[in-house]
Amino acid sequence: MSTLASNEKAFIAENSSLKNENRVFKFTIEQLDYYNDSILEKMNEVRKELDIKDKNLKQMQYLLSDAQRKDSIIFRDTLFKEPTLNLDTIIGDKWYQMKLGLRYPSTIITEPKFVSEKYIMVDYKKETINPPRKCWLLRLFQKKHTILKVNVVEKNPYIENKNSRFIEIIK
């Protein structure tokens, strides 16, 4: 019953006009496959691309963000001869857009925008603490520990992930 209440509060927070807090949804694998939410469907596709087994999946995350800035360049000399010049155009694709504006007599306005779409998948696997033995029977009795593996998939081809670090707090 607490899972139901937790998910209800997470849906309310997500659909609220106040976007200053995020809550964690709690779903089973069956529920993930059942719901028709577009973001959940994309997350499931990435999970299947990474070939993560259902039983090893710990957590899935989705981040969508964009960055943009507006700049104006004003020259002292006249650049454009036509006094009625007021040109606006957009150059780009799904991941990058450049709004370009030209104004009489000497103004150029640029507004670049980048969209970042990240999928973060956390799964685990058990590995032996010491190097694995050559004989499979002896490997069965070796001590094992759980290793968390984090996969970050950036869908924007223009963005390169340089560095990342993940820390698990243990109690």
Side-chain angles (χ1 to χ4, degrees):
M1 200 57 161
S2 69
T3 304
L4 183 63
S6 174
N7 285 342
E8 180 183 12
K9 288 181 182 180
F11 275 119
I12 290 170
E14 184 179 82
N15 293 324
S16 170
S17 62
L18 302 173
K19 294 284 184 183
N20 58 355
E21 102 175 16
N22 289 317
R23 299 222 177 179
V24 176
F25 291 96
K26 297 178 182 178
F27 293 135
T28 63
I29 297 296
E30 292 79 24
Q31 288 173 324
L32 282 175
D33 292 333
Y34 175 74
Y35 289 131
N36 289 331
D37 184 53
S38 61
I39 295 174
L40 286 178
E41 287 177 355
K42 289 179 189 175
M43 291 170 87
N44 271 331
E45 287 174 17
V46 172
R47 174 175 59 102
K48 289 173 183 166
E49 282 174 18
L50 294 172
D51 198 28
I52 296 173
K53 294 180 182 173
D54 291 346
K55 67 177 184 171
N56 294 342
L57 184 65
K58 271 291 227 195
Q59 199 174 62
M60 296 192 316
Q61 299 172 12
Y62 172 78
L63 297 170
L64 178 66
S65 56
D66 65 345
Q68 68 184 63
R69 177 187 171 142
K70 187 173 185 175
D71 283 324
S72 297
I73 303 169
I74 301 171
F75 293 96
R76 290 186 182 159
D77 296 334
T78 302
L79 293 177
F80 311 112
K81 293 183 178 183
E82 184 64 40
T84 59
L85 179 70
N86 189 8
L87 178 70
D88 287 314
T89 187
I90 297 176
I91 305 166
D93 57 17
K94 175 182 176 183
W95 304 108
Y96 167 73
Q97 288 182 354
M98 168 65 88
K99 292 182 182 176
L100 181 65
L102 305 175
R103 305 283 184 270
Y104 175 81
S106 58
T107 305
I108 300 173
I109 303 165
T110 62
E111 190 175 346
K113 176 182 173 184
F114 282 91
V115 175
S116 171
E117 188 175 31
K118 282 186 176 43
Y119 295 91
I120 302 169
M121 303 289 163
V122 181
D123 64 321
Y124 70 92
K125 97 181 198 193
K126 295 197 177 217
E127 289 183 351
T128 58
I129 295 174
N130 296 321
R133 302 262 167 89
K134 290 183 180 179
C135 177
W136 69 272
L137 188 60
L138 293 174
R139 276 196 304 262
L140 290 176
F141 298 107
Q142 272 188 295
K143 286 195 174 207
K144 295 181 173 98
H145 59 218
T146 304
I147 303 293
L148 284 179
K149 207 167 71 176
V150 179
N151 295 300
V152 179
V153 178
E154 172 64 59
K155 291 293 185 174
N156 187 332
Y158 305 119
I159 295 178
E160 179 182 333
N161 292 327
K162 294 282 188 185
N163 191 4
S164 59
R165 177 174 295 171
F166 302 94
I167 299 173
E168 180 183 16
I169 305 301
I170 53 177
K171 295 182 181 181

